[in-house]
Amino acid sequence: MPSTLLASQRNPVRILNQVRMRHSQSRKLTLLVEGPSDRKFFLNWLREEQLRVEPLQGRQQVEAVWRLARKQPIQPPLICLVDLDYDQLLGRELVEHERFIYVSARSLEEEAEANDLEGVLVRSEALRKLFYEKLPEKILDEQEDLVTYLKQQREALRKAASQIGAYRAAAQFFYNEFHRGYWDRDALQIGAAEFLDPPTLQIQEDKLREVVVASALHKPDHDWMVNRAQQLFAEYGSGWNLCRGHDLSKLLALHLNALGRENLSQADVESLLRASFETAMVQQTQFGQCFMELEKKLRKALLR
């Protein structure tokens, strides 16, 4: 059955009222996610007989509904699932509640190893499946050790996405400090051809910096931005903290196309990764473990 709760709904009060009404009719919990593509993915491994998965219009709306729900004398039958994004990196206060779940690769008590869904997918066995399906056979046949090759490709993706992500994170720090935006946030994806060598996933740092500087809304801000990005990469560049999921999927699409898979789009890559992610992989993630803990407390099977 298609989701209808949020098709045109923006008012958190009305959303909560409908959540309660549906629970009274079917005894189902409602899981709020950021958008339709998230709903489609999570339905692959959640039990629809127990959960009604509803897409909202972005993370901010999910958080607004959650904040209102927490003010209610009787808590609504509600679970929220959102990307971690750069919140941990930026030092933002995270919601600490068993029914507000962040998409991350491991416990938030440690340093998160992925910021969003695509980051989790690239770190999982879904990447191996994607390479086996989409890499040209000639390249696969040339590899003496496919396990080592996969590790090398994942590491090249991580490093490239971290170099890009350092500027994305710096832009958020810039906004927090100066209360205005630095750039057009799509500039790094639009200008990827100028600084990326797709076959090797190597980034020319000077070309990347030029794209960042050229996209600035206020020219005097260049030095602050570049210095902050370099500091972030020096501190976090060895892990996944700076990686943004859509950058990873964009890099993957460019890389596979350069190796012989023409016309593979970023959306194709994301769809293929999501389709390859199995329930056993979900159980190894931080958010999968949160759902398993909820299963015990609610005495309901939520995962397929």
Side-chain angles (χ1 to χ4, degrees), residues 138-156:
K138 178 182 178 181
I139 294 178
L140 289 173
D141 292 341
E142 290 173 350
Q143 309 308 316
E144 295 183 5
D145 185 346
L146 285 174
V147 174
T148 299
Y149 176 75
L150 178 62
K151 288 182 179 178
Q152 291 171 343
Q153 297 303 298
R154 183 181 280 122
E155 172 59 18

Side-chain angles (χ1 to χ4, degrees), residues 58-123:
R59 173 178 164 169
Q60 289 184 343
Q61 192 179 36
V62 176
E63 291 174 337
V65 175
W66 175 259
R67 286 193 296 270
L68 181 62
R70 295 297 294 157
K71 296 177 181 178
Q72 308 299 305
I74 300 177
Q75 292 300 296
L78 183 68
I79 303 171
C80 295
L81 184 61
V82 300
D83 287 337
L84 178 61
D85 295 329
Y86 287 137
D87 281 18
Q88 199 172 37
L89 186 69
L90 293 166
R92 292 173 179 162
E93 184 177 357
L94 302 179
V95 176
E96 296 184 11
H97 195 281
E98 62 188 10
R99 294 198 187 190
F100 193 97
I101 301 170
Y102 291 97
V103 176
S104 175
R106 67 177 182 182
S107 171
L108 298 180
E109 294 177 359
E110 305 175 79
E111 197 173 84
E113 290 196 356
N115 293 324
D116 50 30
L117 180 56
E118 279 67 35
V120 171
L121 296 176
V122 167
R123 286 184 52 79

Side-chain angles (χ1 to χ4, degrees), residues 1-274:
M1 180 183 294
S3 176
T4 58
L5 175 62
L6 259 255
S8 60
Q9 201 60 264
R10 292 180 179 273
N11 189 320
V13 174
R14 294 180 180 177
I15 293 170
L16 282 181
N17 287 339
Q18 291 193 42
V19 166
R20 287 195 180 92
M21 180 180 68
R22 287 194 171 172
H23 185 256
S24 67
Q25 293 171 345
S26 66
R27 310 311 297 171
K28 287 185 180 182
L29 297 167
T30 294
L31 172 66
L32 299 183
V33 297
E34 293 185 31
S37 63
D38 294 319
R39 177 182 186 272
K40 182 178 179 181
F41 169 74
F42 291 121
L43 282 177
N44 290 332
W45 48 269
L46 289 171
R47 293 180 179 272
E48 287 189 84
E49 67 269 24
Q50 301 288 5
L51 279 171
R52 179 83 179 189
V53 183
E54 294 285 356
L56 300 197
Q57 298 171 19
R59 173 178 164 169
Q60 289 184 343
Q61 192 179 36
V62 176
E63 291 174 337
V65 175
W66 175 259
R67 286 193 296 270
L68 181 62
R70 295 297 294 157
K71 296 177 181 178
Q72 308 299 305
I74 300 177
Q75 292 300 296
L78 183 68
I79 303 171
C80 295
L81 184 61
V82 300
D83 287 337
L84 178 61
D85 295 329
Y86 287 137
D87 281 18
Q88 199 172 37
L89 186 69
L90 293 166
R92 292 173 179 162
E93 184 177 357
L94 302 179
V95 176
E96 296 184 11
H97 195 281
E98 62 188 10
R99 294 198 187 190
F100 193 97
I101 301 170
Y102 291 97
V103 176
S104 175
R106 67 177 182 182
S107 171
L108 298 180
E109 294 177 359
E110 305 175 79
E111 197 173 84
E113 290 196 356
N115 293 324
D116 50 30
L117 180 56
E118 279 67 35
V120 171
L121 296 176
V122 167
R123 286 184 52 79
S124 76
E125 282 294 291
L127 181 64
R128 176 183 60 81
K129 291 186 174 185
L130 174 65
F131 274 137
Y132 283 175
E133 181 177 345
K134 291 302 178 181
L135 272 177
E137 290 186 9
K138 178 182 178 181
I139 294 178
L140 289 173
D141 292 341
E142 290 173 350
Q143 309 308 316
E144 295 183 5
D145 185 346
L146 285 174
V147 174
T148 299
Y149 176 75
L150 178 62
K151 288 182 179 178
Q152 291 171 343
Q153 297 303 298
R154 183 181 280 122
E155 172 59 18
L157 278 168
R158 184 205 61 74
K159 183 177 180 181
S162 293
Q163 288 176 278
I164 296 170
Y167 285 99
R168 293 197 185 281
Q172 294 201 28
F173 277 105
F174 181 90
Y175 181 84
N176 290 347
E177 182 158 337
F178 300 107
H179 307 291
R180 54 185 170 83
Y182 174 83
W183 58 4
D184 173 358
R185 65 180 180 177
D186 291 324
L188 292 182
Q189 284 215 342
I190 294 170
E194 298 180 32
F195 56 75
L196 174 73
D197 179 47
T200 64
L201 290 170
Q202 295 295 308
I203 283 182
Q204 298 181 56
E205 176 61 31
D206 56 338
K207 297 292 185 182
L208 172 59
R209 189 163 52 247
E210 287 176 10
V211 170
V212 171
V213 169
S215 67
L217 298 176
H218 302 279
K219 300 302 181 184
D221 301 329
H222 298 162
D223 290 344
W224 190 100
M225 182 70 168
V226 171
N227 290 336
R228 192 70 181 95
Q230 291 174 342
Q231 291 169 5
L232 287 167
F233 187 76
E235 186 171 356
Y236 299 104
S238 62
W240 291 79
N241 306 66
L242 296 170
C243 296
R244 176 177 173 267
H246 292 310
D247 287 329
L248 288 165
S249 57
K250 176 71 171 182
L251 290 166
L252 256 176
L254 292 171
H255 179 58
L256 291 170
N257 288 337
L259 296 180
R261 282 291 180 182
E262 296 181 3
N263 301 320
L264 191 66
S265 69
Q266 178 179 353
D268 293 334
V269 166
E270 292 181 0
S271 295
L272 289 165
L273 284 171
R274 292 179 181 216

